[in-house]
Amino acid sequence: MKKPLLLHLLSFLLLSLTCTAAGDLVFHLPTDNKALYGKGGDEYYMYVDRTFEGQTTKPWQGGTWGMVRNPFRAGNGELYFSRMHEGIDVKPIRRDANGEPLDAVRPVAPGIVAYTCEDPRKSNYGRYIVIAHKIREGTIYSLYAHMASVSCRPGQQVTTRDTIGILGYSGVGLNRVRAHCHLEICLMINSAYDLIVQPPTNKHGLFNGLNLVGINPTDVLLACKHGQPFSLKRYFDSLQEHYRVRVPCVGTMDLLKRHPFLYKGKWGVRPAALDIAFTQEGIPIAIYPARQAVSTPQVVKCRPMPTLQQNCTVNRVKGSSKTAQLTASGLRYINNFLWLEGVYPPAPQPDSSTSPQ
């Protein structure tokens, strides 16, 4: 690895600083738009422009989280979507006379600013901010994208009363009319990602969007609506497994070091392999010990769907439920979970200079 070790150590130190003083956190709305707690729908989420089956529409559902973009009809005639949206798009409620949005963006919970990108040309997120939040089950991250401006700095402690920037439309595919705050709440895949994928391919270090897997921010915000603290374990227990991937046990997975609640086996007993259970969207919700060793990752279980698996798994699994196997992008995704420095080199990475919007 050519990246100077000092830079990686500084990144890891920042990550470590976020891993102190665990507690119960209540998550709040990121702007003054309170419609999520009321009518919701098109009063809260920014629409997308869509043309499908000869009709042009502006569905607000495209601004929600999940498989909500690129509609298609399955063989049974049911409507499905093949493109994942890892966050929610919060529409502005204030604009100036020229239509420029004025809404201040605030952290959804107390934390430490982990990363800021102020050059909108470096990512299709545009200007974006990542904040680390320590909860009882480990550190999770909130990401705020398409900002018009950024008014915080890495290492800064922030609360839900602090303004970290102004909502905007920086990045790819946006205009002033569709300005919004793209909010993600994420887990970090691997705290050595900046060693796996380095500059110039990786312009954002640990906080590249490809190293963050998003959970549904709407679920988190609604779970805390009446002041209840958020529990990642309780939330994961409510999610449905879609596929399971068996992987070599090459050591303690970095994700398990940071979120040990995910492991459903007995600590201290090394299994032959590990089975990672994923939701349809690719959230790793549990990790089980497996008796049968494998040399490379392989799908061992997959929920049936009325369409090919690549259409509903962010193109990470292909085939039917009976013939399911990892796609090339699925293998890259899994290898990022497995990589331990000097132990399990991942497959070659694609250009990750931009992050998924």
Side-chain angles (χ1 to χ4, degrees):
M1 296 298 177
K2 302 298 185 183
K3 179 180 178 179
L5 182 60
L6 178 59
L7 293 180
H8 176 70
L9 291 175
L10 288 174
S11 296
F12 190 77
L13 176 60
L14 176 59
L15 181 67
S16 301
L17 288 174
T18 69
C19 297
T20 59
D24 294 326
L25 289 187
V26 176
F27 285 74
H28 300 264
L29 300 175
T31 73
D32 285 336
N33 188 336
K34 303 292 193 285
L36 183 65
Y37 294 161
K39 181 181 178 182
D42 62 359
E43 291 188 5
Y44 192 72
Y45 301 102
M46 177 54 69
Y47 67 84
V48 295
D49 293 307
R50 176 179 295 163
T51 299
F52 178 62
E53 296 181 337
Q55 292 188 333
T56 298
T57 58
K58 298 181 182 295
W60 60 264
Q61 291 87 348
T64 62
W65 177 92
M67 303 294 289
V68 295
R69 297 187 175 181
N70 291 17
F72 69 96
R73 296 284 178 187
N76 61 2
E78 292 186 16
L79 183 65
Y80 285 86
F81 299 84
S82 62
R83 183 182 168 197
M84 175 69 182
H85 185 230
E86 277 202 279
I88 60 174
D89 295 343
V90 182
K91 70 188 303 183
I93 58 174
R94 297 188 183 93
R95 295 181 184 262
D96 66 15
N98 295 319
E100 294 290 341
L102 301 173
D103 300 50
V105 177
R106 293 178 289 273
V108 291
I112 297 176
V113 178
Y115 180 72
T116 61
C117 173
E118 299 190 52
D119 184 347
R121 298 167 298 181
K122 287 186 176 181
S123 167
N124 64 2
Y125 278 140
R127 298 180 187 89
Y128 74 97
I129 301 164
V130 180
I131 297 177
H133 311 278
K134 181 60 182 175
I135 61 175
R136 292 190 180 276
E137 299 97 340
T139 300
I140 61 177
Y141 300 85
S142 58
L143 182 151
Y144 314 78
H146 308 312
M147 305 289 284
S149 62
V150 171
S151 56
C152 58
R153 63 186 184 281
Q156 179 180 343
Q157 292 191 359
V158 290
T159 73
T160 56
R161 298 184 299 274
D162 295 316
T163 295
I164 56 174
I166 301 298
L167 179 153
Y169 49 98
S170 61
V172 175
L174 294 181
N175 55 33
R176 182 168 54 191
V177 175
R178 289 193 58 247
H180 60 261
C181 172
H182 174 88
L183 171 68
E184 296 184 12
I185 296 179
C186 318
L187 272 68
M188 178 177 288
I189 294 175
N190 199 316
S191 61
Y193 185 82
D194 55 343
L195 296 179
I196 302 172
V197 187
Q198 301 179 34
T201 297
N202 180 8
K203 296 181 174 67
H204 308 288
L206 292 177
F207 303 101
N208 189 307
L210 296 176
N211 192 36
L212 300 170
V213 54
I215 63 178
N216 191 341
T218 295
D219 287 345
V220 176
L221 296 172
L222 290 179
C224 299
K225 177 181 177 180
H226 299 295
Q228 306 95 322
F230 177 68
S231 167
L232 188 63
K233 181 181 184 302
R234 184 167 59 241
Y235 178 60
F236 276 16
D237 288 344
S238 73
L239 299 179
Q240 182 179 24
E241 176 183 335
H242 187 84
Y243 61 95
R244 192 174 293 197
V245 180
R246 184 159 297 163
V247 301
C249 184
V250 295
T252 304
M253 198 180 303
D254 181 71
L255 184 71
L256 284 180
K257 292 179 182 178
R258 292 179 288 108
H259 302 285
F261 80 94
L262 289 171
Y263 191 54
K264 307 306 178 183
K266 183 178 180 181
W267 285 95
V269 178
R270 181 167 179 167
L274 295 171
D275 285 354
I276 310 176
F278 291 96
T279 66
Q280 177 181 346
E281 302 84 5
I283 302 171
I285 55 175
I287 300 176
Y288 301 91
R291 294 181 178 179
Q292 181 181 0
V294 294
S295 58
T296 58
Q298 56 186 261
V299 179
V300 294
K301 182 180 179 182
C302 192
R303 183 164 61 96
M305 295 293 285
T307 183
L308 294 174
Q309 292 295 331
Q310 55 262 42
N311 294 331
C312 54
T313 60
V314 202
N315 193 34
R316 291 178 179 140
V317 177
K318 62 182 178 180
S320 68
S321 62
K322 295 181 179 180
T323 64
Q325 55 185 297
L326 292 170
T327 63
S329 64
L331 180 60
R332 287 191 293 267
Y333 183 64
I334 297 299
N335 277 338
N336 285 343
F337 286 90
L338 301 184
W339 193 87
L340 301 174
E341 187 171 1
V343 176
Y344 194 90
Q349 295 290 318
D351 184 351
S352 55
S353 59
T354 60
S355 308
Q357 182 175 323

